[in-house]
């Protein structure tokens, strides 16, 4: 198991050091600094073995977090734990920065004592932790016996992510379907790979211990119901018959509140939600993806000292919708000496420090196209190596889900309190963003 | 090696100040002072001098302050054991506190203090906490047992904590169950043979129930524990799989990977024709692909594991090539791993896409990545024949870029392509030769030299090219020197008239001016071959080379099986067994098999190469030029040395005469015995169990060389080809010293005899019985498994004669408990004949004594692994029964040595 946990600043000074196992000595702290943080080379692996000791590290801005062990630990678990620790720390004091860590070191030690025992990760849900590890000093001594046992039963209980007795005057929930669409396209316009990775993020402000059921236009579910002969399919009414009726989900993963065995057997998503914001599910689709933009590049080398670049972008969605924050990044060679750009829409600039022409358009409706052309002058070099021609990348945001996912329902049941599904105010929003959206040129 | 101070630290000033603050009356000031102490501790300053002052703050009702003091105690108690006692009272009191959080805190902290006196006081509170009414306390106490076990294992056993811990597996609270499982698993690891975890269908059922309810971490502990369980039959195996599959949708990647591990292991037990088996295979792919959208560090762990899974079960991800395409912004470690998997998944169906990608990668910035991409193109050519032409032209394009390392890498792989497809692509040699000057890496230089030597007859100026290398002969690396030597000898054999001078020059450089023994030896061998019999030289040096195999970088099947059992762990990231990086770790795990003997196993490919390969290095290195001539020469030398060592066939050995005799007579000097006993061949594998392949065999030791003599008979209707053999780990590390040479296809009803030389350099694992050997033989049809037993006399070495004095001392030194006595009945030999006969099998008589008509023979035997066996044999005249006493430091071998005596004397 995890033998020790260290946090360093960018210079390699230790900010936090907690050792859990006897086989990890103080010299391990220095070994990591010398061999990884101060290493001349770029980091070649997130796992390093130094003198029969293994170091797992992740970086958040310029802070290094390292877990150390001498055993054959579950490596995936160690990384998951490090990420989780970052989440917990952010939930307590915001950004993970040197200053915040130094100011909160007592709290961090307290957390580390609680969420890692002898190197074994323990309950690390912030919802539960915040009930008894508080920044304003402990209330421990003032708690009643009932309160104490409530805390412990929550920390160890089956619903460790939610405490009892939550009350809201207005029961409200917000559902965000956030998708990032990824594309790799050949210069000829052939899709080399494309997938959507999506997340359903939920903000719930519900009283009591509500039981929720979430439904979407999952092909497997719809097909099953279709066979059953349901005529008034809610999907049709909601979508007004437009778009795809159902989507094929390649794979999905759920927050630990979702009953996985139920999903496995009935493919229904039921759960008792944590309070506040959390990620209900992640999913991935590869079939029938709506690619919001198409990039058509044309690069011509004119002699050895000049390049002509022309890039056309086409928007491919309903004309009534608007894409926002569009940015096209056209890489330029390292020996670029000057660039002249002409674009029909938006603003374009050559950024020498980034070796790219950055073309920004604030808004663009569907089924439109726009174009940029540039002349790039090059300094003659005797470097034999050809320019690697990195791909043209794009950023954008669109108000729909490129995978075609639609939320069909989110039902809330709370039998003990007197509010019903109809009393809950629900909000649904779809945002499609570019992930790695690249076209080779 | 104690604490290293990072900063200059003025003890008198700051410590003094802190001391005062710690003893302040004001609570707030006290707390601030303790905080300062902890801050100093963190950066490595030694604040142990404040021990009594800090401990004084312990008795407080402020929980935050208490936690800080505990943190300090955990750090310094070990260095101040006497003062640590001061804390005991407070701990014991806290363990009785009405607040469960405080009870748990106390027991948790006590377990972290590795001081004997504290540990003693821990037992009683721990016993109570294990049965506490509050689950939070129980789950903490469960882990505490593991802590205590780490400090004092005996104490844990004596106090009966293990049983209490086992009871917690049935606890009503899932988190308590999970922690108990974690603690038990860890403790069980240090008692490999104890049945501590005692997994049976009932406990498994409890674990599976808790699995649905506990935290993500608890699920990991439980799944990792489940993976060690051996289901009774395929039905149980299936029902566990069914209950584990929902975990594949968990958001935590570690839960997913641990579930994959359980499924990969238990699947092995399911019949392949079961519908469920196919369903399960299909269910595995999507979650594995999803892992690739995790954070990069986790992607890396996932990719290292996928690499193993793809080798074990290529069918799972065969349609998912695209997800392994490299993204421009991937960290380099992700890129390199993706590339590795792409090559493994490359097939005729997707090769066009793969090649297009690889060509793209070859123009990237990172040098390692570009090199690997170029090599990958070569591997594709070798793996998918239809693509070879496209690959070669892609490589030529890359050579035109003139980027130095790209060119060198391309040349190294083109050499392998030549070997795989002889007489097909040699037209490109001219282009390669143009780049001769730019090669500065030994491997590329060696590859180029190999090409020039191998195709000398087609290159007009081959002599000039090779001569140019010769100028700086001594500055070259050994790899290049060896290659140059061989290439020039090849050239000479092909064009003897013009190159006499050149060959003389290189031979004298190698034999006279070099102090590298390999180079010198090879030089001498060539020299003598050339001077005595050029025809033989031609046969040896220009012999036809065996084709190189497609996949040279596969992980050895036994290691792969072990690594599959470690999916998700560090072992799967390093691709090494835990014993390679964990001190004192347990022996390896194995995948359960239902049908052991002839289990169809189409996807565990056997390699022809004897050395275990790791997938860490680039694949093609394995067939690099450096090895080519060695293997080639090696196999020839092999037969030569054996024939010369066997007196009967000495005359038949071609071209062995004069000076060559002493060179090749490697075994002769040791004093070759003649009568080493070889048992007749016995049937090892029956045709009906092995799809028509019948194998019988025996073992022999000839002139210090161990051989496995096999007869392969084809009793099937179709021709058998592509034979290969491999051994499982065994007690003495027996392993094939070279590939099994079955050069011609085996037609129906034909039998071939093969002698396989064995080495002792394989991996070692104790077998039951000791001399058991598990063998896998592959042919074009399937892989077959059988086991056989070898006589221990195989391992008796030629220099096993012990000095008399040493014998006496050793005999006395070995405790009498290690002595074993045996009767050898019905032997009608006198002592001298018996002693001669035994000597033939390397059992040496050191001394003989005759006392009252009884001959006492004192004998010694040495095993290949250096174990000495001492024996006393009593022979009474007229009595056909001998008495044999054997003494050895490893008494388990005595039994087998006795068997050898009996075999030798009776035959």
């Amino acid at each position: 198991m995890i033998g020790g946990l260290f946090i360093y600043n960018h210079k390699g000074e230790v900010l936090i050091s907690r050792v859990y196992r006897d086989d990890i000595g103080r010299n391990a702290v220095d070994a990591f600094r010398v061999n990884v943080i101060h290493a001349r080379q770029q980091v070649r692996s997130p796992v390093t073995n130094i003198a029969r000791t293994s170091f797992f590290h992740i970086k958040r801005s310029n802070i290094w977090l390292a877990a150390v062990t001498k055993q054959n630990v579950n490596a995936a678990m160690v990384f998951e734990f490090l990420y989780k620790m970052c989440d917990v720390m952010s939930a307590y004091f915001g950004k993970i920065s040197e200053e915040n860590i130094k100011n909160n070191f007592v709290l961090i030690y307290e957390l580390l004592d609680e969420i890692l025992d002898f190197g074994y990760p323990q309950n690390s849900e912030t919802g539960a932790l915040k009930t008894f590890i508080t920044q304003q000093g402990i209330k421990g001594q003032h708690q009643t016996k009932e309160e104490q046992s409530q805390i412990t039963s929550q920390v160890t209980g089956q619903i460790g992510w939610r405490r009892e007795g939550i009350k809201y005057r207005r029961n409200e929930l917000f559902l965000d379907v956030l998708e990032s669409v990824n594309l790799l396209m050949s210069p000829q316009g052939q899709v080399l790979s494309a997938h959507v990775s999506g997340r359903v993020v939920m903000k719930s402000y519900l009283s009591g211990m509500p039981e929720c059921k979430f439904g979407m236009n999952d092909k497997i579910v719809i097909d099953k119901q279709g066979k059953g002969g349901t005529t008034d399919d809610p999907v049709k009414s909601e979508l007004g018959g437009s778009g795809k009726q159902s989507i094929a989900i390649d794979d999905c993963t759920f927050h630990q509140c979702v009953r996985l065995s139920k999903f496995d057997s009935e493919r229904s998503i039921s759960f008792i939600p944590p309070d506040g914001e959390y990620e209900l599910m992640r999913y991935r689709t590869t079939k029938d993806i709506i690619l919001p933009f198409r990039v058509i590049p044309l690069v011509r080398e004119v002699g050895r000292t000049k390049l002509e670049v022309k890039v056309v972008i086409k928007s491919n969605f309903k004309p009534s919708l608007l894409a926002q924050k569009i940015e096209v990044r056209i890489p330029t060679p390292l020996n670029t000496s000057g660039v002249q750009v002409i674009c029909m829409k938006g603003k374009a600039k050559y950024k020498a420090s980034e070796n790219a022409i950055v073309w920004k358009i604030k808004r663009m409706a569907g089924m439109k196209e726009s174009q940029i052309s540039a002349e790039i002058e090059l300094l003659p070099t005797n470097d034999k190596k050809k320019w690697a021609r990195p791909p043209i990348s794009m950023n954008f945001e669109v108000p729909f889900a490129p995978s075609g996912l639609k939320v069909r329902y989110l039902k809330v049941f709370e039998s003990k309190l007197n509010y019903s599904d109809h009393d809950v105010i629900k909000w649904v929003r779809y945002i499609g963003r570019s992930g790695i959206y690249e076209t080779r040129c | 090696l104690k604490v290293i101070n990072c900063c200059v630290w003025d003890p008198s000033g700051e410590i003094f100040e802190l001391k005062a603050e710690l003893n302040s009356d004001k609570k707030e000031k006290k707390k601030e002072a303790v905080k300062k102490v902890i801050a100093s501790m963190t950066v490595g300053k030694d604040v142990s001098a404040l021990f009594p002052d800090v401990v004084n703050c312990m008795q407080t009702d402020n929980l935050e302050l208490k936690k800080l003091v505990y943190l300090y105690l955990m750090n310094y108690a070990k260095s101040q054991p006497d003062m640590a006692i001061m804390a005991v009272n407070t701990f014991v009191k806290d363990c009785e506190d009405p607040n469960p959080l405080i009870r748990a805190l106390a027991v948790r902290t006590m377990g972290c203090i590795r001081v004997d006196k504290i540990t003693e006081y821990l037992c009683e509170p721990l016993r109570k906490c294990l049965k506490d009414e509050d689950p939070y306390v129980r789950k903490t106490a469960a882990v505490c047992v593991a802590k205590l076990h780490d400090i004092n294992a005996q104490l844990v056993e004596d106090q009966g904590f293990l049983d209490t811990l086992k009871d917690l597996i049935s606890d009503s609270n899932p988190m308590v169950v999970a922690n108990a499982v974690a603690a038990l698993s860890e403790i069980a690891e240090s008692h490999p043979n104890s049945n501590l975890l005692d997994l049976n269908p009932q406990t498994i059922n409890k674990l599976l129930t808790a699995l649905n309810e506990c935290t993500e971490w608890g699920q990991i502990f439980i799944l990792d524990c489940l993976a060690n369980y051996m289901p009774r039959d395929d039905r149980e195996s299936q029902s566990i799989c069914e209950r584990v599959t929902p975990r594949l949708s968990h958001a935590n990647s570690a839960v997913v990977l641990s579930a994959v591990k359980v499924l990969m292991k238990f699947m092995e037990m399911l019949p392949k024709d079961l519908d469920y088996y196919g369903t399960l295979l299909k269910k595995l792919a999507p979650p594995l692909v999803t892992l690739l959208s995790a954070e990069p560090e986790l992607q890396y762990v996932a990719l290292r594991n996928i690499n193993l899974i793809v080798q074990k079960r290529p069918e799972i991800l065969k349609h998912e090539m695209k997800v392994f395409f490299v993204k421009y912004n991937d960290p380099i470690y992700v890129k390199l791993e993706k590339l590795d998997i792409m090559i493994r998944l490359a097939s005729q169906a997707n090769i066009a896409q793969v090649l297009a990608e690889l060509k793209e990668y070859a123009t990237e910035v990172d040098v390692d990545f570009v090199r690997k991409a170029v090599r990958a193109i070569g591997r594709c050519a070798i793996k998918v024949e239809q693509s070879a032409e496209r690959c070669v032209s892609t490589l030529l394009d890359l050579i035109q870029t003139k980027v130095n390392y790209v060119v060198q890498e391309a040349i190294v792989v083109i050499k392998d392509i030549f070997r795989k497809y002889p007489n097909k692509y040699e037209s490109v040699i001219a282009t390669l030769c143009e780049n001769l000057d730019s090669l500065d890496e030994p491997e590329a230089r060696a590859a180029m030299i190999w090409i020039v030597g191998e195709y000398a007859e087609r290159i007009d100026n081959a002599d000039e090219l090779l001569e140019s290398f010769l100028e700086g002969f001594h500055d070259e690396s050994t790899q290049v020197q060896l290659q140059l030597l061989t290439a020039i000898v090849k050239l000479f054999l092909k064009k003897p008239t013009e190159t006499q001078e050149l060959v003389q020059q290189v031979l004298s450089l190698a034999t006279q001016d070099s102090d590298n023994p390999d180079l010198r030896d090879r030089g001498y061998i060539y020299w003598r071959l050339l001077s005595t019999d050029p025809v033989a030289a031609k046969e040896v040096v220009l012999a036809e080379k065996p084709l190189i195999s497609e996949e040279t970088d596969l992980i050895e099947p036994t290691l792969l099986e072990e690594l599959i059992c470690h999916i998700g762990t560090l072992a799967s990231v390093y691709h090494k067994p835990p014993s390679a990086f964990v001190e004192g770790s347990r022996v390896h795990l194995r995948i359960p098999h239902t049908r052991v003997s002839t289990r169809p196993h189409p996807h565990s490919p056997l390699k022809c190469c004897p050395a275990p390969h790791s997938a860490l290095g680039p694949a093609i290195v394995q067939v690099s030029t450096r090895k080519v001539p060695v293997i080639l020469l090696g196999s020839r030398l092999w037969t030569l040395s054996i024939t010369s060592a066997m007196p009967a066939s000495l005359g038949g050995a071609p071209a062995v005469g004069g000076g060559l005799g002493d060179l090749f007579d490697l075994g002769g000097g040791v004093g070759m015995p003649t009568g080493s006993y070889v048992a007749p061949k016995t049937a090892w594998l029956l045709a009906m169990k092995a799809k028509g392949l019948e194998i019988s065999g025996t073992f022999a030791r000839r002139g210090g060389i161990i051989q496995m003599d096999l007869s392969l008979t084809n009793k099937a209707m179709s021709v058998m080809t592509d034979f290969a053999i491999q051994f499982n780990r065994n007690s003495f590390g027996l392993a094939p010293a070279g590939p099994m040479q079955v050069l011609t296809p085996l037609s129906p009803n034909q039998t071939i005899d093969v002698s396989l030389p064995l080495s002792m350099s394989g991996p070692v694992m104790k077998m039951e019985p000791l001399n058991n050997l598990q063998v896998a033989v592959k042919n074009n049809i399937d892989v077959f498994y059988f086991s056989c037993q070898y006589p221990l006399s195989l391992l008796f070495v030629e220099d096993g004669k012990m000095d008399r004095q040493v014998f006496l001392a050793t005999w006395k030194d070995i405790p009498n408990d290690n002595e074993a006595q045996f009767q050898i009945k019905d032997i009608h030999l006198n002592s001298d004949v018996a002693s001669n006969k035994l000597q033939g099998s390397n059992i040496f008589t050191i001394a003989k004594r005759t006392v009252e008509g009884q001959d006492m023979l004192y004998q010694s035997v040495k095993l290949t692994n250096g174990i000495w066996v001492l024996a006393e044999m009593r022979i009474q005249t007229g009595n056909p029964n001998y008495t044999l006493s054997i003494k050895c430091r490893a008494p388990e071998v005595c039994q087998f040595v006795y068997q050898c005596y009996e075999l030798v004397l009776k035959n």
Side-chain angles (χ1 to χ4, degrees), chain A residues 21 44 54 72-73 75 80 83 109-110 114 117 120 122 124 152 251 254, chain B residues 42 67 134 136 147 179 186 217 249 253 290 297 368 568 570-571 574:
Chain A
R21 295 271 173 151
R44 301 303 275 197
S54 298
N72 182 31
V73 297
E80 284 283 5
Y83 301 142
Y109 277 125
E110 201 176 338
E114 186 60 42
D117 191 3
Y120 288 108
Q122 304 292 305
S124 43
T152 59
D251 187 40
F254 297 98
Chain B
T42 297
K67 282 182 178 175
D134 194 293
Y136 183 78
K147 292 180 189 169
N179 277 3
E186 179 169 340
W217 315 114
S249 307
S253 307
T290 297
E297 292 88 3
D368 283 350
L570 260 181
Y574 292 147

Coordinates of all heavy atoms in Angstrom, one line a residue, chain A residues 21 44 54 72-73 75 80 83 109-110 114 117 120 122 124 152 251 254, chain B residues 42 67 134 136 147 179 186 217 249 253 290 297 368 568 570-571 574:
Chain A
R21 N 4.3 4.2 6.3 CA 4.9 2.9 6.5 C 6.3 3.0 6.9 O 7.0 3.9 6.5 CB 4.8 2.1 5.1 CG 3.4 1.8 4.7 CD 3.0 0.5 5.2 NE 1.6 0.3 4.9 CZ 1.0 -0.9 4.8 NH1 1.8 -2.0 4.9 NH2 -0.3 -1.1 4.6
R44 N 9.5 11.3 -18.3 CA 9.2 10.3 -19.2 C 8.2 9.3 -18.7 O 7.8 8.4 -19.5 CB 10.5 9.5 -19.6 CG 11.6 10.4 -20.2 CD 11.1 11.1 -21.4 NE 11.2 10.4 -22.6 CZ 11.2 10.9 -23.9 NH1 11.1 12.2 -24.0 NH2 11.3 10.2 -24.9
S54 N 9.1 2.9 -5.4 CA 8.3 3.5 -6.5 C 7.7 4.8 -6.2 O 7.1 4.9 -5.1 CB 7.3 2.5 -7.0 OG 7.9 1.3 -7.4
N72 N 4.0 -3.9 -4.1 CA 3.4 -4.0 -5.4 C 1.9 -3.5 -5.3 O 1.0 -4.3 -5.2 CB 3.4 -5.5 -5.9 CG 2.7 -5.6 -7.3 OD1 2.8 -4.7 -8.1 ND2 2.1 -6.7 -7.5
V73 N 1.8 -2.2 -5.2 CA 0.4 -1.6 -4.9 C -0.4 -1.6 -6.2 O 0.1 -1.8 -7.3 CB 0.5 -0.2 -4.4 CG1 1.2 -0.2 -3.1 CG2 1.2 0.7 -5.4
A75 N -1.6 0.3 -8.8 CA -1.2 1.6 -9.4 C -2.3 2.5 -9.8 O -2.3 3.7 -9.6 CB -0.3 1.3 -10.6
E80 N -5.8 7.3 -8.8 CA -7.2 7.7 -8.5 C -7.2 8.5 -7.1 O -7.9 9.5 -7.0 CB -8.1 6.6 -8.5 CG -8.5 6.0 -9.8 CD -9.6 6.9 -10.5 OE1 -9.9 8.0 -10.0 OE2 -10.0 6.6 -11.6
Y83 N -5.7 12.0 -7.5 CA -6.7 12.9 -8.0 C -7.8 13.3 -7.0 O -8.2 14.4 -6.9 CB -7.4 12.3 -9.2 CG -6.5 11.9 -10.4 CD1 -6.8 10.7 -11.1 CD2 -5.4 12.6 -10.7 CE1 -6.0 10.3 -12.1 CE2 -4.6 12.2 -11.8 CZ -4.9 11.0 -12.5 OH -4.1 10.6 -13.5
Y109 N -2.9 17.9 6.9 CA -2.5 16.7 7.7 C -3.7 16.0 8.3 O -3.7 14.8 8.4 CB -1.5 17.2 8.8 CG -0.1 17.3 8.3 CD1 0.6 18.5 8.5 CD2 0.5 16.2 7.7 CE1 1.9 18.6 8.0 CE2 1.8 16.3 7.3 CZ 2.5 17.5 7.4 OH 3.8 17.6 7.0
E110 N -4.7 16.8 8.8 CA -5.8 16.2 9.4 C -6.6 15.3 8.3 O -7.0 14.2 8.6 CB -6.7 17.3 9.9 CG -7.7 16.8 11.0 CD -8.5 17.9 11.6 OE1 -8.1 19.0 11.5 OE2 -9.6 17.5 12.1
E114 N -7.2 11.1 8.0 CA -8.5 10.5 7.9 C -8.7 9.7 6.6 O -9.2 8.6 6.7 CB -9.5 11.7 7.9 CG -11.0 11.2 8.0 CD -11.2 10.4 9.2 OE1 -10.8 10.8 10.3 OE2 -11.9 9.3 9.1
D117 N -5.4 5.5 5.8 CA -5.0 4.8 7.1 C -4.0 3.7 6.8 O -4.4 2.8 6.0 CB -6.2 4.3 7.8 CG -5.9 3.9 9.2 OD1 -4.8 4.1 9.7 OD2 -6.8 3.4 9.9
Y120 N -4.0 2.8 3.3 CA -5.3 2.3 2.6 C -6.2 3.5 2.5 O -6.6 4.1 3.5 CB -5.9 1.2 3.4 CG -5.2 -0.1 3.4 CD1 -4.5 -0.6 4.5 CD2 -5.2 -0.9 2.2 CE1 -3.8 -1.8 4.4 CE2 -4.6 -2.1 2.1 CZ -3.9 -2.5 3.2 OH -3.2 -3.7 3.1
Q122 N -9.4 5.6 2.6 CA -10.7 5.5 3.3 C -11.7 6.4 2.7 O -11.4 7.1 1.7 CB -10.5 5.8 4.8 CG -9.4 5.0 5.5 CD -9.8 3.5 5.6 OE1 -10.9 3.2 6.2 NE2 -9.0 2.6 5.1
S124 N -13.4 9.2 1.2 CA -12.9 10.5 0.8 C -13.9 11.4 0.2 O -13.6 12.2 -0.7 CB -11.7 10.3 -0.1 OG -11.9 9.3 -1.1
T152 N -20.4 9.1 12.3 CA -19.7 7.9 12.0 C -20.6 7.0 11.1 O -20.0 6.3 10.2 CB -19.4 7.1 13.3 OG1 -20.6 6.9 14.0 CG2 -18.4 7.9 14.1
D251 N -19.9 3.2 -24.1 CA -19.6 2.8 -22.7 C -19.9 4.0 -21.8 O -19.9 5.1 -22.2 CB -18.1 2.5 -22.6 CG -17.8 1.9 -21.3 OD1 -18.6 1.1 -20.8 OD2 -16.7 2.3 -20.7
F254 N -20.3 5.6 -13.9 CA -21.2 6.3 -13.1 C -20.5 6.7 -11.8 O -19.6 6.0 -11.3 CB -22.4 5.5 -12.7 CG -23.2 5.2 -14.0 CD1 -23.1 4.0 -14.6 CD2 -24.1 6.1 -14.5 CE1 -23.9 3.7 -15.7 CE2 -24.9 5.9 -15.6 CZ -24.7 4.7 -16.2
Chain B
T42 N 7.9 19.1 9.1 CA 7.6 18.8 7.7 C 8.8 19.1 6.8 O 9.2 18.3 5.9 CB 6.4 19.7 7.2 OG1 5.3 19.3 7.9 CG2 6.2 19.5 5.7
K67 N -4.9 16.1 17.6 CA -4.5 15.5 16.3 C -3.1 15.9 16.0 O -2.3 15.1 15.5 CB -5.5 15.8 15.2 CG -6.7 15.0 15.2 CD -7.6 15.3 14.0 CE -8.9 14.5 14.1 NZ -9.8 14.8 13.0
D134 N -19.6 0.9 17.3 CA -19.6 1.9 16.2 C -18.8 1.3 15.1 O -17.6 1.0 15.2 CB -19.0 3.2 16.7 CG -19.3 4.3 15.7 OD1 -18.8 4.3 14.6 OD2 -20.1 5.2 16.1
Y136 N -17.4 2.9 12.7 CA -16.2 3.7 12.4 C -15.0 3.2 13.2 O -13.9 3.2 12.7 CB -16.5 5.2 12.7 CG -15.4 6.1 12.4 CD1 -15.2 6.5 11.0 CD2 -14.6 6.6 13.3 CE1 -14.2 7.4 10.7 CE2 -13.6 7.5 13.1 CZ -13.4 7.9 11.7 OH -12.4 8.8 11.4
K147 N -1.4 -3.1 11.1 CA -0.3 -2.3 11.6 C 0.5 -3.1 12.6 O 1.7 -3.1 12.6 CB -0.8 -1.0 12.2 CG -1.4 0.0 11.3 CD -1.8 1.2 12.0 CE -2.7 2.1 11.1 NZ -3.3 3.2 11.9
N179 N -12.2 -3.1 4.9 CA -10.9 -2.9 5.6 C -10.4 -4.2 6.2 O -9.2 -4.5 6.2 CB -11.0 -1.9 6.7 CG -10.9 -0.5 6.2 OD1 -10.8 -0.3 5.0 ND2 -11.0 0.5 7.1
E186 N -3.1 -8.4 3.3 CA -1.8 -8.0 3.5 C -1.0 -9.0 4.5 O 0.1 -9.3 4.2 CB -1.7 -6.6 4.1 CG -0.3 -6.1 4.4 CD -0.1 -4.6 4.7 OE1 -1.0 -3.9 4.4 OE2 0.9 -4.3 5.3
W217 N -13.0 2.6 -2.8 CA -11.7 2.0 -2.3 C -11.9 0.6 -1.8 O -11.2 -0.3 -2.1 CB -11.0 2.9 -1.3 CG -11.0 4.4 -1.6 CD1 -11.7 5.3 -1.0 CD2 -10.4 5.0 -2.8 NE1 -11.5 6.6 -1.6 CE2 -10.7 6.4 -2.7 CE3 -9.6 4.5 -3.8 CZ2 -10.2 7.3 -3.6 CZ3 -9.1 5.5 -4.8 CH2 -9.5 6.8 -4.7
S249 N -18.7 -0.4 -15.0 CA -19.2 0.9 -15.3 C -18.9 1.9 -14.2 O -19.5 2.9 -14.1 CB -20.7 0.8 -15.4 OG -21.1 -0.1 -16.4
S253 N -11.3 4.4 -12.2 CA -10.6 3.5 -13.1 C -10.0 2.3 -12.4 O -9.9 1.2 -13.0 CB -9.5 4.2 -13.8 OG -10.0 5.4 -14.4
T290 N -12.7 3.2 -22.6 CA -13.0 4.4 -21.8 C -11.9 4.8 -20.9 O -11.7 6.0 -20.6 CB -14.3 4.0 -20.9 OG1 -15.4 3.8 -21.8 CG2 -14.6 5.2 -20.0
E297 N -2.0 10.2 -16.5 CA -1.2 9.2 -15.7 C -2.0 7.9 -15.6 O -1.4 6.8 -15.7 CB -1.1 9.7 -14.2 CG -0.1 10.9 -14.1 CD -0.8 12.2 -14.3 OE1 -2.1 12.2 -14.5 OE2 -0.2 13.3 -14.3
D368 N 12.8 9.9 -29.4 CA 12.4 8.5 -29.1 C 11.2 8.1 -29.8 O 11.1 6.9 -30.3 CB 12.2 8.4 -27.6 CG 13.4 8.4 -26.8 OD1 14.5 8.3 -27.4 OD2 13.4 8.5 -25.6
G568 N -3.5 -4.0 -13.0 CA -3.8 -2.8 -12.2 C -2.6 -2.4 -11.2 O -2.6 -1.3 -10.8
L570 N 1.5 -2.3 -9.8 CA 2.8 -1.8 -10.3 C 3.4 -2.9 -11.2 O 4.1 -2.5 -12.2 CB 3.7 -1.6 -9.1 CG 3.9 -0.2 -8.6 CD1 4.9 -0.1 -7.5 CD2 4.4 0.7 -9.7
A571 N 3.3 -4.1 -10.8 CA 3.9 -5.2 -11.6 C 3.4 -5.1 -13.1 O 4.2 -5.2 -14.0 CB 3.5 -6.6 -11.1
Y574 N 5.3 -2.1 -14.6 CA 6.7 -2.3 -15.0 C 6.8 -3.5 -15.9 O 7.9 -3.7 -16.5 CB 7.5 -2.7 -13.7 CG 7.6 -1.5 -12.7 CD1 7.6 -1.8 -11.3 CD2 7.8 -0.2 -13.1 CE1 7.8 -0.7 -10.4 CE2 7.9 0.8 -12.2 CZ 8.0 0.5 -10.9 OH 8.1 1.6 -10.0

